[in-house]
């Protein structure tokens, strides 16, 4: 259910979930976190856009500025930093993931 970003990441739209990733995997922890997050979103049928920070450094820099972090992966909702893999893991542990991301989940069918 991932879509690669085809418009500026800050463009307003109805509830947009974006995942900042890197196609260049030099940090194994970040590569693993990205893979787990993408797999989880796909498993839960979460609709999201991927922004490849390696291919779009100008977008990456803007997103890093908003988050205050220079890591991958990062989640943004409507251009606002939401969190990273650790944040999602907290939601899974608290069993609140589905409630938080319900607006991005495709209905079963």
């Amino acid at each position: 259910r991932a879509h690669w970003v085809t418009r500026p990441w800050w463009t307003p739209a109805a509830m947009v979930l974006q995942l900042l990733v890197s196609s260049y995997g030099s940090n194994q922890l970040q590569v693993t976190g990205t893979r787990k997050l993408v797999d989880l979103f796909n498993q839960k049928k979460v609709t999201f856009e991927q922004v490849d920070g390696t291919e779009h450094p100008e977008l990456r820099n803007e997103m890093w500025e908003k988050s205050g972090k220079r890591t991958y992966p990062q989640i943004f909702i409507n251009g606002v930093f939401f969190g990273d893999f650790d944040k999602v893991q907290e939601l899974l542990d608290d069993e609140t993931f589905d409630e938080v991301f319900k607006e991005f989940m495709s209905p079963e069918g």
Side-chain angles (χ1 to χ4, degrees):
R1 301 223 187 281
H3 304 282
W4 289 98
V5 67
T6 56
R7 58 181 170 69
W9 71 277
W10 61 88
T11 301
M15 295 302 289
V16 175
L17 177 71
Q18 292 173 311
L19 183 61
L20 177 62
V21 300
S22 174
S23 59
Y24 176 75
S26 64
N27 180 316
Q28 192 59 38
L29 185 60
Q30 291 180 5
V31 169
T32 301
T34 298
R35 187 178 332 110
K36 285 181 178 179
L37 200 49
V38 169
D39 289 349
L40 174 66
F41 281 175
N42 287 332
Q43 175 190 0
K44 295 278 195 176
K45 299 182 182 346
V46 172
T47 301
F48 64 101
E49 296 177 344
Q50 291 189 57
V51 177
D52 186 340
T54 305
E55 293 186 16
H56 302 284
E58 68 288 347
L59 296 179
R60 175 201 64 212
N61 291 341
E62 289 180 43
M63 294 171 99
W64 278 353
E65 185 175 326
K66 283 189 173 267
S67 71
K69 298 182 176 201
R70 298 175 65 87
T71 59
Y72 298 103
Q74 293 186 20
I75 302 164
F76 290 80
I77 298 176
N78 291 343
V80 177
F81 178 64
F82 175 80
D84 54 16
F85 181 78
D86 292 338
K87 173 70 172 183
V88 170
Q89 187 61 56
E90 290 174 17
L91 297 175
L92 291 169
D93 293 344
D94 294 343
E95 299 181 358
T96 57
F97 178 92
D98 289 358
E99 180 65 25
V100 171
F101 287 101
K102 68 182 176 187
E103 295 182 50
F104 303 101
M105 298 168 87
S106 298
E108 296 296 324

